[in-house]
Amino acid sequence: MYPDKHKEIVTSLMEGKFITVAELLFEVIKKNEDFYINFFEKSFGFELIENQDYYYLISSETNENTSRDFSIFFSILCYELDKDGKNFLEELNYSEFHIDEIIEYFKNSSWSDVIKANKQLNNDENLKRHIGTMVKRNIAVKHNNERYSFTKAHKLFIDFAKDLIKDDKRETT
């Protein structure tokens, strides 16, 4: 006997989606956490990662670059928001962004060499597709009129970027 919403939970997580605290599925996993930790480990060799705000799966055998691209996206967006005098954490947590606003930040970024080198971010259409991928993975939410907000899952990529900066600083000293 599987918990309620089992198929939906498995399908969502296996598609690379984050299940956030705002969703009913989060509570189902939380109540059955030991079951799901064991289920994903034994069935697929995946590790279920729990955070107070979201769940997601990782595998040591994956070779995908999407997570790296999400981290680069958030690093550049945060840098540009900060440069614009905004508190980027508050903006990511509580604001909506029009797609054109995001595109402008990337077009005018001082990180143009990084943007040009990244196929997911190097032009308007690719950037739009990349944000669409973020929506599919439950990292972003699309609202009316081409506006987007970010779910709590964005924190994983912000934390990853912070860790990279810390590691880079340690290596240079």
Side-chain angles (χ1 to χ4, degrees), residues 73-89:
F73 171 88
F74 281 115
S75 296
I76 292 170
L77 183 59
C78 289
Y79 179 83
E80 296 304 325
L81 288 168
D82 185 62
K83 193 170 83 177
D84 213 15
K86 298 178 180 178
N87 180 322
F88 63 85
L89 290 177

Side-chain angles (χ1 to χ4, degrees), residues 3-5 9 13 19-37 40 48-56:
D4 287 343
K5 306 285 186 181
I9 289 168
L13 289 169
I19 296 179
T20 63
V21 69
E23 300 171 77
L24 172 66
L25 298 180
F26 184 91
E27 284 303 315
V28 174
I29 297 172
K30 189 80 164 161
K31 288 178 186 172
N32 300 284
E33 192 169 78
D34 289 338
F35 167 79
Y36 280 109
I37 288 170
F40 284 108
L48 179 67
I49 303 295
E50 181 263 337
N51 175 292
Q52 68 185 20
D53 296 316
Y54 51 83
Y55 283 98
Y56 66 101

